Amino acid sequence: MEPGRAAWMLLLPLLLPLLLLLPALPAAAPGDFDPYRVLGVGRGSSQADIKKAYKRLAREWHPDKNKDPGAEDKFIQISKAYEILSNEEKRANFDRYGDAGESQGFSQHQHRQFHRFHDGFYFDESFFHFPFNSERRDNSDEKYLLHFSHYINEIVPDSFKKPYLIKITSDWCFSCIHIEPVWKEVAQELEALGAGIGVVHAGYERRLAHHLGAHSTPTLLGLINGKITFFHNAVVRENLRQFVENLLPGNLVEKITDKNYIRFLSDWRKDNKPHVLLFDHMPVVPLLYKLTAFAYRDYLSFGYVYVGLRGTEELSSQYNINVYSPTMMIFKEHIDRPADVVQAREMKKQLIDDFLSQNKFLLVARLTNQRLFQELCPVKKSHRQRKHCVVLLTGEGEKFAEAYEAFLTFAVANTKDTLKFVYIYNERQPEFADALLMDDEKYRGRSAVVILERRNNAGKIVYRALEEAWQGSREDNFILLDLLDQLRTDPGLLSSETVVADLNDELAPMFLIRWLYSTLDYISDCWDSLFHSNWREMMPLLSLLFSALFILFGTVIVQAFSDSSDTRDSPPSEKEETAAKTEKNDVSFSKESNRIPKKGFVEVTELTDINYTSNLVRLRPGHMNVVLILSNSTKTPLLQKFALEVYTFTGSSSLHFSFLSLDKHREWLEYLLEFAQDAAPIPNQYDKHFLERDYTGYVLALNGHKKYFCLFKPHRSGDEGGTLGSCEDYDASLHAEARGKPSCSPGSRSIKNKLHKLSFWMERLLEGSLQRFYIPSWPALD
């Protein structure tokens, strides 16, 4: 028997009942079905009117509510009518041809036969997804509903503190109703543990549903650290709990035993965090504890002790643990005793949050980044909310251990709500230490204590440093205690004022590590998309991949053919070789011509109030004016050195060179330098050396169009101020007047050394890698 006939013989018993039912199917010509008449709306009705009529009729004729024998057929007609009229293309085809245009390409006879069959067996999404409207849906989802702006502005930032489980649902979705009991149970359970819950209604929040990548309902996904992960398993309680747990990083909680607890608790100095131990009789780490560890991972390190495990007896005995109730302990600088303990038969989230929020910091925390500085030393908002920070500026190593221990002992004995005791390492935060100690020789190589109060978020502080270096003696303790007592009644005791730069982030990972993590995350996302996303989402990536492969292999093929053609060519004659070499040299010269000076001298003009507008304020976009700061006494040597350093850059038409007289325009320069405080701090006006500040040798690259400048500070030479030998000789092409014996004033070589390495600074300027200081507007030069 032929294979095709055998297959039909096997399918015949299955098709026979269907063929017997065909005569009984309701037959209707295309012209007999009018969706406007079915919904009871006019041809000019809007989409809102059509949707309103559809919802009203769907409620009335739904088979679950209407017991009429023809209710099911009526409901199918209503659904089909709405499908046609809600789609503008199908509606236009029906208005024009009396048909929705679903079977184009068939003959009229075939179309009628197919339409009759289609009318009889109308399989649409609404047929399987019974339209249980919002009245039948559980109202518990309403408090979890998300909107696009709420998701972007609140949910995404909050996902860095807790994971979110989000459901995308819609009306008339039978599968959504099917998973509702499991969803409700899991949502309540996870919310009590500290996870976030969200619901997106795809019918009303299409923009958000599309942003999340949900193309069908129901869809479940997880959100953590701003990253979306889709749920692809069966919707049961265990799978959803495991899905949320898998969203969390794997190294949040460390398993602690008798062998590693001393090492774990001793890491407080390296991590700069208190360490938390949870003692429980559960063999696995509870999800509540993992969620808590994720929320407080920036402040605390977490460990878990399974008290029923062999190898934890010494640990439980040392800290006198009750093995029948969960116990949570926080250890700070002293690992032999906990700083705080909480014990309860059932650990609740609110209890844990209250306990941990009161113990987020060490007794004397080290300032390792700006965020920690802002939390421990907040800005004063009112007189009653005044808080002071007592800062120990010290170094690393055994040499400074005694001073630190004495400071820690003092902090433990004088803990108050209005005082915070912190310390920094001078080598790791040099700018912060220099701003407070002002390079005072008496503190060099020694520890110092400073009492400070932050005045604004821009870095302004008032402070007072102890007169002598901190050694931790009894006398030092008495002096510091006396100052703190006076500060309670006399806030003006902090008489010094300065501006400190933001602290360096000491614990930030290196660039290479951050790049590696980003690459792994991207590969993971692509791998997940390859197996679980539809091909429409993968088309941009596939297009990019095939384009790269096409360019790569196309280049290889073209190169192969060009090489083979070159080998087949006859060797060139001697004359052709000479011409080729000459042409090659010309090409090389043209590539480097943009850096070759066009003149034999450097054109440097003085920046005055006459040419100030044309040379700076109205400078063309993309052009910069490189200005040298000099005085009358240093004009000649500085201009000579400046010309030498910038001569190789005069080939660029976008660079202009000028000099500014410090004797005439000192106030203009100091106004600009106020916007570059971290690079060139302005001295206090009460300083006796304020008017003697030497700005000669400073170079400013001014971008007049974009209103910013780059700053070059003079090179500090080791022989400045000392006895110098002869002056430097200069290029004869640049200084024709120096053909004889050069004459120089005393210290001219020291002055010229201020512009040492200016050419390297110019290289970075052209690369665009220099720091830019923006100003609101250019001040008047007069």
Side-chain angles (χ1 to χ4, degrees), residues 168-202:
I168 290 88
T169 184
S170 64
D171 289 337
W172 328 112
C173 171
F174 177 77
S175 300
C176 301
I177 303 300
H178 180 72
I179 68 172
E180 195 69 32
V182 179
W183 166 260
K184 181 179 179 181
E185 177 187 1
V186 174
Q188 292 177 350
E189 179 184 359
L190 293 178
E191 187 180 25
L193 296 178
I197 304 297
V199 175
V200 178
H201 196 292

Side-chain angles (χ1 to χ4, degrees), residues 583-596:
E583 183 180 356
K584 183 178 180 181
N585 293 335
D586 293 341
V587 172
S588 303
F589 178 80
S590 64
K591 291 181 179 179
E592 298 179 358
S593 61
N594 59 343
R595 289 296 304 276
I596 295 179

Side-chain angles (χ1 to χ4, degrees), residues 118-189:
H118 188 71
D119 285 343
F121 285 86
Y122 179 68
F123 297 109
D124 189 43
E125 184 178 4
S126 60
F127 183 82
F128 294 102
H129 295 181
F130 294 103
F132 293 86
N133 56 20
S134 56
E135 294 179 357
R136 289 286 301 272
R137 189 160 23 90
D138 199 328
N139 294 329
S140 61
D141 281 353
E142 293 183 0
K143 66 177 182 178
Y144 303 128
L145 287 177
L146 303 179
H147 306 286
F148 186 82
S149 60
H150 177 227
Y151 172 82
I152 296 296
N153 299 325
E154 298 183 24
I155 301 301
V156 172
D158 198 39
S159 68
F160 289 85
K161 299 179 181 178
K162 61 182 178 182
Y164 273 81
L165 182 63
I166 300 176
K167 177 182 71 171
I168 290 88
T169 184
S170 64
D171 289 337
W172 328 112
C173 171
F174 177 77
S175 300
C176 301
I177 303 300
H178 180 72
I179 68 172
E180 195 69 32
V182 179
W183 166 260
K184 181 179 179 181
E185 177 187 1
V186 174
Q188 292 177 350
E189 179 184 359

Side-chain angles (χ1 to χ4, degrees), residues 9 494 544 615 634 659 719 748 751:
M9 292 297 293
L494 307 181
L544 178 62
N615 287 2
T634 61
F659 69 91
D719 56 1
S748 62
I751 293 174

Side-chain angles (χ1 to χ4, degrees), residues 290-308:
K290 288 186 176 181
L291 292 171
T292 302
F294 180 76
Y296 290 91
R297 67 189 186 281
D298 292 336
Y299 302 97
L300 303 164
S301 296
F302 292 83
Y304 181 74
V305 181
Y306 173 34
V307 295

Side-chain angles (χ1 to χ4, degrees), residues 273-314:
K273 300 176 182 178
H275 284 59
V276 186
L277 282 182
L278 175 64
F279 297 82
D280 203 350
H281 56 276
M282 300 292 293
V284 295
V285 181
L287 180 58
L288 171 62
Y289 196 54
K290 288 186 176 181
L291 292 171
T292 302
F294 180 76
Y296 290 91
R297 67 189 186 281
D298 292 336
Y299 302 97
L300 303 164
S301 296
F302 292 83
Y304 181 74
V305 181
Y306 173 34
V307 295
L309 179 67
R310 180 179 299 177
T312 61
E313 296 86 355
E314 177 185 345

Side-chain angles (χ1 to χ4, degrees), residues 606 628 630-640 659:
E606 183 178 3
L628 169 67
L630 49 77
S631 61
N632 291 335
S633 59
T634 61
K635 182 176 181 179
T636 301
L638 280 181
L639 278 178
Q640 292 176 352
F659 69 91

